[in-house]
Amino acid sequence: MPDATATAKELLARLVAFDTVSAKSNIPLIQFVEDYLAGHGIAAQRVPTPDGQKASLFASIGPTGSPGLALSGHTDVVPVAGQSWDSDPFTLTERDGRLYGRGSCDMKGYLACALAMVPEFKRRRLQLPIHLAFSYDEEVGCTGVRPMIAELGKRLPLPRLVFVGEPTEMGVVDAHKGPVRWRVELTGRAAHSSMPHLGVNAIAYATRLIGELLLMEEELKAGDQDPRFDPPFTSLQITQIEGGTASNVVPVPCWFGWEIRGLPGFDPMQLDRRLKAYALTNCLPQMRRTAPEAAITIAATNQVPAYAADVASGIVPLTLKLAGQNKTNAVSYCTEAGLFQDGGAPAIVCGPGNIAQAHTANEFLSLAELEKCLSFLGRLADWAEA
Ligand SMILES: [Zn+2]
């Protein structure tokens, strides 16, 4: 499909030119996609944020009234700050068969392919509709897709199958881990550091909690193993820490962050409960003996469900066939697939580009990957037509 390739490249150049770093509005990009679809006679629906600064977009091609196939991707990209690029990250630049630009791989390349195929999808006698489901704020905890998923089966049709086009080099990913992040805040009492018995040292108590977390980390390493993942267990990390105010003051504030990457089926809340119980029995009573105002709060700040493909949906063998693959993969990064699945729409992850290029300086998508993706979508249309 040489025409589709040219169209996809052109569309990718347009999409990359919108600076949709997660902190910024994606509305200009959404407006562009709406106009493009309208040009092909397709109406799209927005699911906007309350302040109207961002929106997801949902559109359908083909028959109405039957559950269809959704092509899903996020419109936001990670920042370029601090990265050294050889060309302007927001100007798609072709060099040696590669298309360079922020988001080319993760994942505007997939969006461009899906949009480029719209005229082809329209031409087909589709037996079931093909939906486009474009989200925002994926890169900041998969938060933007959630209001759209909440509308599926209500204002928007619930897709039968969802194809999440995160970069897999068109391999088939049928499982990923689920990240959960926590913020722990401790409040002690200030005192001159020469008179520590008059204060409560928040940093010292934070180290106790961290000690308990490090124990948990060791237990998780020795616990359930799934060799499809690297590392093959639920991992736990302390990710951030900050505390104290001066070199001669018993520190009042301390906070730290920790996260896990849970295997599918792992219950992250067991760790939440355990750390809270530890704080209640091993920290707070002692802290409050000196300072009744002492406090510890442990709050999950973001959770993306782990994902394992819904076997009964048939989406795995179908995607393997369409992608010309004979085995599936499991990955440690996360996607919106688990959220779609929890919302009642079985999902699979398969898209162009290599995750190694995502988020980096000189991010690129090879033309070969773009073409592989267009062929995949062509075969998907064949299947939807039959
Ligand atoms: Zn992505």
Side-chain angles (χ1 to χ4, degrees):
M1 276 175 291
D3 285 344
T5 303
T7 310
K9 271 171 68 175
E10 227 175 275
L11 285 164
L12 182 54
R14 297 297 302 270
L15 296 178
V16 165
F18 293 104
D19 175 359
T20 51
V21 169
S22 311
K24 298 182 180 170
S25 170
N26 74 337
I27 295 297
L29 181 149
I30 292 295
Q31 184 68 56
F32 167 77
V33 173
E34 272 175 353
D35 293 346
Y36 170 84
L37 292 173
H40 292 282
I42 292 152
Q45 295 189 72
R46 286 188 192 189
V47 182
T49 52
D51 67 3
Q53 288 302 300
K54 293 175 184 172
S56 290
L57 196 77
F58 193 96
S60 302
I61 304 130
T64 52
S66 56
L69 313 172
L71 308 180
S72 149
H74 58 85
T75 60
D76 61 318
V77 296
V78 294
V80 296
Q83 298 186 345
S84 156
W85 283 68
D86 294 336
S87 54
D88 175 17
F90 299 104
T91 305
L92 192 71
T93 308
E94 188 171 348
R95 291 195 300 272
D96 310 322
R98 291 169 170 183
L99 303 165
Y100 289 88
R102 172 52 84 228
S104 55
C105 168
D106 185 12
M107 58 184 289
K108 290 176 172 176
Y110 184 70
L111 305 184
C113 288
L115 292 171
M117 289 297 288
V118 163
E120 176 70 11
F121 293 156
K122 273 198 67 186
R123 207 176 55 73
R124 305 293 193 101
R125 297 162 57 87
L126 299 177
Q127 300 303 304
L128 65 176
I130 294 178
H131 311 291
L132 305 178
F134 294 176
S135 70
Y136 59 90
D137 281 359
E138 191 271 350
E139 299 289 7
V140 289
C142 294
T143 51
V145 75
R146 298 176 201 231
M148 176 164 63
I149 289 174
E151 295 281 356
L152 299 179
K154 296 171 189 149
R155 186 161 74 89
L156 304 170
L158 179 68
R160 181 168 138 193
L161 304 172
V162 179
F163 297 84
V164 178
E166 289 281 351
T168 64
E169 292 186 299
M170 299 312 291
V172 180
V173 166
D174 66 346
H176 65 63
K177 289 183 176 178
V180 188
R181 301 199 169 106
W182 284 265
R183 183 180 171 98
V184 179
E185 291 179 8
L186 297 97
T187 309
R189 178 181 279 187
H192 195 285
S193 58
S194 65
M195 303 289 277
H197 54 286
L198 300 180
V200 173
N201 188 319
I203 293 178
Y205 283 97
T207 66
R208 292 193 190 189
L209 294 171
I210 288 170
E212 183 68 5
L213 287 169
L214 295 180
L215 262 181
M216 291 186 206
E217 182 188 3
E218 290 310 311
E219 289 172 23
L220 290 169
K221 275 187 192 168
D224 286 345
Q225 307 281 315
D226 184 338
R228 299 185 68 212
F229 290 96
D230 178 24
F233 45 81
T234 294
S235 60
L236 185 156
Q237 280 301 294
I238 314 296
T239 50
Q240 285 171 289
I241 188 163
E242 213 175 291
T245 45
S247 60
N248 56 357
V249 179
V250 173
V252 182
C254 182
W255 75 269
F256 67 90
W258 61 288
E259 69 147 40
I260 62 150
R261 303 271 167 162
L263 292 173
F266 180 79
D267 170 21
M269 285 305 126
Q270 61 178 280
L271 304 181
D272 184 271
R273 287 191 293 273
R274 178 164 156 188
L275 190 68
K276 283 175 177 163
Y278 184 88
L280 264 177
T281 49
N282 296 299
C283 301
L284 278 170
Q286 281 168 272
M287 293 167 81
R288 287 187 172 153
R289 220 169 287 149
T290 308
E293 76 278 16
I296 298 175
T297 60
I298 298 167
T301 53
N302 187 259
Q303 176 170 11
V304 180
Y307 155 73
D310 174 356
V311 175
S313 70
I315 196 166
V316 176
L318 171 64
T319 312
L320 284 171
K321 199 177 100 191
L322 297 176
Q325 303 277 330
N326 55 22
K327 65 168 183 56
T328 59
N329 302 304
V331 295
S332 291
Y333 60 87
C334 73
T335 75
E336 297 171 339
L339 289 163
F340 274 105
Q341 208 149 268
D342 289 358
I348 197 88
V349 185
C350 178
N354 187 323
I355 193 74
Q357 269 94 52
H359 302 195
T360 61
N362 297 323
E363 175 180 354
F364 70 85
L365 179 68
S366 75
L367 268 173
E369 286 291 311
L370 189 89
E371 279 168 358
K372 259 162 62 182
C373 182
L374 290 167
S375 306
F376 173 88
L377 295 175
R379 289 189 291 275
L380 186 77
D382 295 342
W383 186 81
E385 212 174 13

